[in-house]
Each structure stands twice: as structure tokens, then as C-alpha cells.
Amino acid sequence: MTDLSNLLAATTLGAVPLRSRVVMAPMTRSRATADNRPTELTATYYAQRAGAGLIIAEATAVSPQGVGYPNIPGLWRDDQVEGWRTVVDAVHAAGGRIAAQLFHVGRVSLPAYQPDGALPVAPSAIAPAGVTLYAPDFSQHAAPVPQPLDEAGIARVVADFAAAATRARAAGFDAVEIHGASGYLLDQFLRDGSNARTDRFGGTVERRARLLLDVTEAVARAIGADRTGVRLSPENPFNDMRDGDPRTTFSTAAALLRDFELAWLHVVRGPTASVVEAIREAYRSPLLLNGGFTAESAERAIRDDLARAVSFGTPFIANPDLVERFAQGAPLAAADPATFYGGDARGYTDYPTLALAGA
């Protein structure tokens, strides 16, 4: 059996102790209520996966303006805090650790989600080409041209992230991850393909990174840098994202983030190895890597000091006991993509563990 002693070893990310370096990556599952509250089923789902060294929960909107998908959770109201407390308590009771991932979708939204039916917001009036979005009733629509945020709107976004982080800690989350990836608002500001501004939030990499840095500073001040992580995806084209020089853009952003002494920087690797290498050199540690890893390649990444830990997404959907399967060298079950988003317990909480599968 393959030696996975590094992957399965305990570690810490900031103030958060991990029983192993196998992290559950955040994955939208669209099982919250229509008014953006997690449910008892959500609690069951995450508690089943509490064997992960750390769970990073699904992307959670920091405000009504930040919503762009049906049935996703939020953290701007007291009842949402209570809903998440049920989830966190269930994970802690099962011996796990869990972080909230906070995001604002920016231009990847529809007026149907926005307060007063307004246009979604973005750094610039550039629509994501070819992107189809789901309305609250799951009908499909082309993404509209967004309205650029003014500085007052930007300040509100920063305040919304800090307030949501405070609510996350009130709900009992062990940490918070700031979602700066996947073509959402902070990523839209950072990349030159979606940011055409000429003010202090546009132009140079340092200026395009300003919103990410302002949000990170506000969240770290609210809950502590040692309980704050950031996620980046330098080469992910999802949501029509482009950048003329991702190596320079993201290594510069990583160097600027290093000064915060965060709990982790979570990087989704792409096809160009030099991009992640440049980020690692700029940020150093602790780095959390994601992107098509197997147990064996994750072990090598940790052994070779490329990452402190590795996150897995889809494998955790069909394998709630993924860490145990890795430890035993057991085969992995395959997930059903038809049940990834929306629906009920089917394809969500009904995947058996090894013990149940063999019963």
C-alpha cells in the first residue's frame, strides 16, 4: 500500500488544528432554502464528512447583492447564523473542524437576485461572455452587463465581508476563507480581463489587488488573521475570466497577502506549473493546494514541501469517509453529476461509507 504518512499526518493552519492534511474543498450544492438558509440536511451532509482534516464549507454570500445562484446560503441575517450554528455544532460533535467560505458573485448574477431588481455589480461594465446563469426558479438567462461599483459601493462590500466573518465566528466556525477565485467579485477586480478601471482600484496589479487586500484586512481585523484564509484560482477560465499575465498578477497578489500572516492561502492550480511555483515563492507558507490531486500526488506535494495540505472536491461528494478510504487504500466511489446541484438527499447525504457499503 502507498505510503501516505505525510498526507495523513496532523498539522495546523493558523489557529486551527487538523487531524490530517486532507481538506474538503468548498463546493456549491444548492441545497439551502430559497431565502438562503442552511438546513438540517446541510448539517447531516457536513457531519458525514467530519473526518476531513478541515472542511471548507460551500461559498456563502455576504449580502443579498452577493447572491447569484438559487438556493445558496448566506451570512447576513441572524437566522442564517442560527442555521449555520446547527451545521457547525454537528461537525464539531463528530470531531471535525469547519471553515466558512465567504463570497460576493459580482457580475455573475441577475436582477432577479438583486435588491430592487438592480443590475449586478462589478469592477467595470463588462459582461461575462457566453455565461448562462440560473434564476431563482432555475430558468436560464444570459449574464447582463453589470454596473461598475463606485467607491461607496466598494466600501460597503468590504464592510459586508467583515460583518459576515463576524457572524461566521458567532455561528462557531473555526475559520473563514475569503473567496477570491472562480470569477467572482474579488477575482473580477484582480484580473485585467474584467477590470478596466482607471482609478485606484484599476490599472496596475497592485491597484487591481486593492479590493482583495482591503477585504482581507477587514476580515483579519474582525476575527484574527490566524483564522483567515484566502482562495485564488490564477488560470481558471470559469465565468469568462482572463488575465494577460497570471504569473505576475497572482504572484504579486500573493506577496501582498503574505504580510497579513494568514492561516492559509488556497490556490487552485492550472495547467502552467510556473504560475503556482511563482505564487509559492512569493507567499511561502502555509499553502493549501487544490486541483485534480490523487492521494498519491497529494502525498508527494506535501512531502516535497510544495503545500502544507491539499484539498479535494468531487471525491468528498461520493466518499464521506474519504480520509479513511485513503488510509485503507480502498477504492473510491464515483459521484453522480446529475445530483450535484439542487434537489434533496439523493446524491447528497445518501452515499455510504465503507462500513455501510460492506454491510
Side-chain angles (χ1 to χ4, degrees):
M1 191 167 68
T2 304
D3 177 15
L4 300 179
S5 56
N6 291 287
L7 180 63
L8 299 177
T11 190
T12 60
L13 291 174
V16 184
L18 279 63
R19 291 184 296 180
S20 76
R21 299 168 192 242
V22 179
V23 173
M24 179 174 167
M27 293 176 286
T28 294
R29 303 302 307 276
S30 292
R31 258 69 168 201
T33 64
D35 63 346
N36 312 109
R37 286 180 292 108
T39 68
E40 292 283 352
L41 193 63
T42 311
T44 300
Y45 170 72
Y46 285 115
Q48 287 174 341
R49 289 152 181 81
L54 173 68
I55 293 169
I56 304 177
E58 64 210 86
T60 299
V62 299
S63 68
Q65 186 191 67
V67 177
Y69 298 99
N71 299 98
I72 65 167
L75 260 172
W76 67 85
R77 297 193 315 259
D78 289 346
D79 63 324
Q80 293 166 333
V81 172
E82 292 307 311
W84 277 118
R85 182 175 288 117
T86 299
V87 175
V88 172
D89 287 349
V91 170
H92 286 167
R97 295 287 182 267
I98 184 168
Q101 190 191 62
L102 304 180
F103 84 147
H104 186 305
V105 299
R107 68 181 186 174
V108 190
S109 186
L110 296 167
Y113 292 109
Q114 296 297 303
D116 302 320
L119 286 169
V121 297
S124 305
I126 301 172
V131 173
T132 299
L133 302 175
Y134 286 89
D137 63 359
F138 283 87
S139 61
Q140 297 183 53
H141 305 265
V145 176
Q147 56 178 327
L149 276 166
D150 59 19
E151 292 216 10
I154 289 172
R156 284 193 295 273
V157 168
V158 174
D160 287 339
F161 269 92
T166 300
R167 291 189 180 95
R169 287 290 287 150
F173 280 104
D174 298 288
V176 158
E177 179 173 274
I178 298 165
H179 198 346
S182 303
Y184 301 122
L185 185 63
L186 304 185
D187 199 21
Q188 292 160 26
F189 268 82
L190 186 55
R191 296 207 228 185
D192 61 15
S194 47
N195 185 342
R197 300 175 76 100
T198 57
D199 64 359
R200 65 193 187 100
F201 289 91
T204 65
V205 177
E206 291 80 4
R207 289 180 177 179
R208 298 198 313 268
R210 185 182 298 274
L211 179 57
L212 173 63
L213 298 175
D214 286 354
V215 166
T216 302
E217 181 179 15
V219 169
R221 187 185 302 120
I223 67 167
D226 60 352
R227 295 189 183 273
T228 302
V230 170
R231 191 179 213 220
L232 301 174
S233 57
E235 296 181 279
N236 188 353
F238 185 60
N239 286 323
D240 187 37
M241 293 303 293
R242 299 178 302 277
D243 189 85
D245 186 0
R247 188 176 188 275
T248 298
T249 294
F250 285 88
S251 62
T252 301
L256 294 168
L257 287 167
R258 183 178 62 201
D259 293 339
F260 291 106
E261 298 184 356
L262 300 172
W264 68 82
L265 180 62
H266 191 178
V267 180
V268 182
R269 64 179 184 174
T272 311
S274 64
V275 175
V276 172
E277 290 170 1
I279 291 170
R280 178 177 174 272
E281 179 63 27
Y283 190 77
R284 307 199 188 279
S285 185
L287 203 65
L288 175 58
L289 288 182
N290 172 267
F293 282 91
T294 63
E296 292 75 18
S297 61
E299 169 70 19
R300 288 194 298 272
I302 295 168
R303 182 194 63 209
D304 295 343
D305 200 28
L306 301 177
R308 176 76 62 83
V310 173
S311 71
F312 298 82
T314 304
F316 262 111
I317 291 178
N319 301 275
D321 56 345
L322 184 65
V323 178
E324 181 62 25
R325 289 178 188 246
F326 283 167
Q328 294 189 27
L332 302 185
D336 177 11
T339 60
F340 280 0
Y341 306 110
D344 51 22
R346 188 171 68 89
Y348 190 55
T349 58
D350 62 349
Y351 287 107
T353 61
L354 274 174
L356 290 175

